[in-house]
Amino acid sequence: MAPKYRLVYFNVRGRAELTRLLFAAADLEYQDQRFEFGSDQWKELKPNTPMGQAPLLYVDDVALCQSMTIARYVARTTGLAGRTPIEEATADMIVDGLDDMQRKLVAMFNEKGDEKKAELQKEFVGSFLPQFLGNYEKLAGAEGFFVGDSLTWADIAFFNLMGWVTPMDPAVLGGFPNLSKVMDNVQSQRGIARWLKERPQTKM
Ligand SMILES: N[C@@H](CCC(=O)N[C@@H](CS)C(=O)NCC(=O)O)C(=O)O
């Protein structure tokens, strides 16, 4: 019998959205259970989770935590992790590299001081981002896939993280044709296109 999947997270995109996109891409049924931050439901569940944090993915009775472990597991289960060990490692490299950008974004968004925030933004937009995207542009093929000639979780993870960046500058990928193609490939994938239309409108 096929396993039952239940994803538990807060009512935001945050650290669960990559997994939701993967389920959508594979058209794999799962329960998308959402709590409010600080809710009684979460307070009750927290002590009974492996590390006291969400997201969690329950695969039948097995509880997995750590967002990237969960996403990688779903990518493997759905054939989106790469076809060979070297393809899998290449996809992992792209995904792990995104963490550098994510840490910068989180630091910037969490910064409370106006002056410091402006300084971080200036460094991000003026220096970090062009260099980062320049590297990723070379890693994406002209067909718009980071690995081989078909969609993997690397493409989906890139698309997902760019959701934080494009609201700041919608034209940010203007000079990056391969990366623009990655974005098109992901958002036009049937299951993902449907999820993007129907997903709850929440905070990032
Ligand atoms: N490294 C973990 C971090 C998980 C994490 O920080 N989760 C936060 C929400 S984004 C959380 O569970 N906060 C509620 C709490 O700690 O009670 C992952 O990637 O899953």
Side-chain angles (χ1 to χ4, degrees):
M1 207 166 78
K4 272 201 162 46
Y5 300 106
R6 180 163 57 100
L7 182 66
V8 175
Y9 193 55
F10 304 102
N11 189 25
V12 292
R13 294 187 201 162
R15 294 179 190 271
E17 193 62 15
L18 174 55
T19 295
R20 295 182 184 124
L21 286 162
L22 291 166
F23 275 124
D27 212 0
L28 186 59
E29 199 180 320
Y30 74 107
Q31 187 187 343
D32 183 17
Q33 189 174 8
R34 296 167 182 240
F35 296 148
E36 294 307 324
F37 282 106
S39 65
D40 289 346
Q41 279 170 306
W42 171 243
K43 282 183 198 151
E44 247 171 63
L45 180 65
K46 185 176 167 78
N48 301 312
T49 66
M51 299 187 191
Q53 290 177 321
L56 298 142
L57 180 68
Y58 293 88
V59 182
D60 292 329
D61 293 333
V62 177
L64 297 174
C65 70
Q66 292 300 333
S67 52
M68 299 317 285
T69 301
I70 292 170
R72 187 175 286 107
Y73 165 79
V74 175
R76 284 187 186 139
T77 306
T78 55
L80 288 164
R83 284 182 285 224
T84 61
I86 198 69
E87 282 198 2
E88 284 177 1
T90 307
D92 285 353
M93 174 181 85
I94 297 296
V95 172
D96 289 343
L98 293 174
D99 188 50
D100 294 344
M101 179 153 84
Q102 182 159 354
R103 273 189 280 124
K104 294 249 175 209
L105 285 164
V106 169
M108 221 161 64
F109 288 126
N110 287 346
E111 178 55 50
K112 297 278 183 286
D114 289 348
E115 214 172 293
K116 179 73 183 162
K117 201 181 185 89
E119 198 184 296
L120 289 175
Q121 265 173 5
K122 193 169 165 217
E123 195 273 332
F124 181 78
V125 173
S127 166
F128 176 84
L129 198 55
Q131 200 179 337
F132 183 90
L133 294 177
N135 289 338
Y136 269 63
E137 172 73 8
K138 285 186 240 145
L139 291 164
E143 297 304 311
F145 300 110
F146 284 112
V147 182
D149 57 4
S150 60
L151 199 72
T152 63
W153 76 305
D155 306 311
I156 299 173
F158 177 78
F159 170 84
N160 186 43
L161 193 59
M162 286 309 289
W164 294 43
V165 179
T166 43
M168 281 192 273
D169 179 2
V172 67
L173 291 179
F176 302 101
N178 297 348
L179 294 177
S180 300
K181 199 91 201 286
V182 172
M183 299 293 281
D184 289 347
N185 287 339
V186 175
Q187 63 202 348
S188 63
Q189 197 271 354
R190 197 175 45 88
I192 291 184
R194 194 171 59 214
W195 175 245
L196 295 178
K197 254 193 235 149
E198 74 184 21
R199 70 180 171 186
Q201 293 305 310
T202 65
K203 282 197 207 142
M204 294 298 289

